[in-house]
Amino acid sequence: MAQILTVVVGVILIVFIGWWFFGKHSESQATAVTTKDGQTAKVVVNGGFNPAVLKIKKDTPVKLVFNRKDSTTCLEKVVFPDFGVDAELPMNQDVAIPIDTSKAGEFEYSCGMHMFHGKIVIK
Ligand SMILES: [Cu+2]
């Protein structure tokens, strides 16, 4: 009886781990809002970047507005290696970061230690 139980628990664990690693997890996505002088998008920094994926129109100036709600020092910076951006994020303050939209592509960004990641998709 105990053996059967062990096998059942083992199978459940394996299925769960498989789902965890290979299942399709939905990522929060958003599209930048068009304004009269370009585009803008808000990113809330709280246990990571939200939305994690931002869609941006190519060749239209964009400002990404980060607001940090998380007091962990890990998230006090945001780094866009492809754009040479390394910005401090003070608590509860909007920090506008202009991003060059002349090149299409997918660009990753992260916190200062590469622990939390986000992505912008320009097209
Ligand atoms: Cu970090």
Side-chain angles (χ1 to χ4, degrees), residues 73-77 110-116:
T73 51
C74 177
L75 287 159
E76 67 190 4
K77 264 185 166 193
S110 68
C111 70
M113 305 146 213
H114 296 279
M115 288 154 75
F116 291 99

Side-chain angles (χ1 to χ4, degrees), residues 10-52:
V11 167
I12 290 171
L13 259 173
I14 289 165
V15 168
F16 175 76
I17 291 168
W19 168 82
W20 185 260
F21 281 103
F22 304 112
K24 216 176 175 208
H25 298 284
S26 59
E27 272 183 316
S28 58
Q29 274 198 18
T31 305
V33 180
T34 306
T35 60
K36 60 181 188 305
D37 46 24
Q39 315 171 74
T40 181
K42 278 214 160 197
V43 179
V44 174
V45 183
N46 197 351
F49 299 104
N50 208 317

Side-chain angles (χ1 to χ4, degrees), residues 18 24 26 35 45 56 66 88 92 107 120 123:
K24 216 176 175 208
S26 59
T35 60
V45 183
I56 296 165
F66 285 81
E88 302 268 346
N92 300 311
F107 306 97
I120 56 174
K123 68 174 174 188

Side-chain angles (χ1 to χ4, degrees), residues 70-87:
D70 192 318
S71 62
T72 50
T73 51
C74 177
L75 287 159
E76 67 190 4
K77 264 185 166 193
V78 63
V79 181
F80 287 81
D82 301 292
F83 300 93
V85 172
D86 186 333

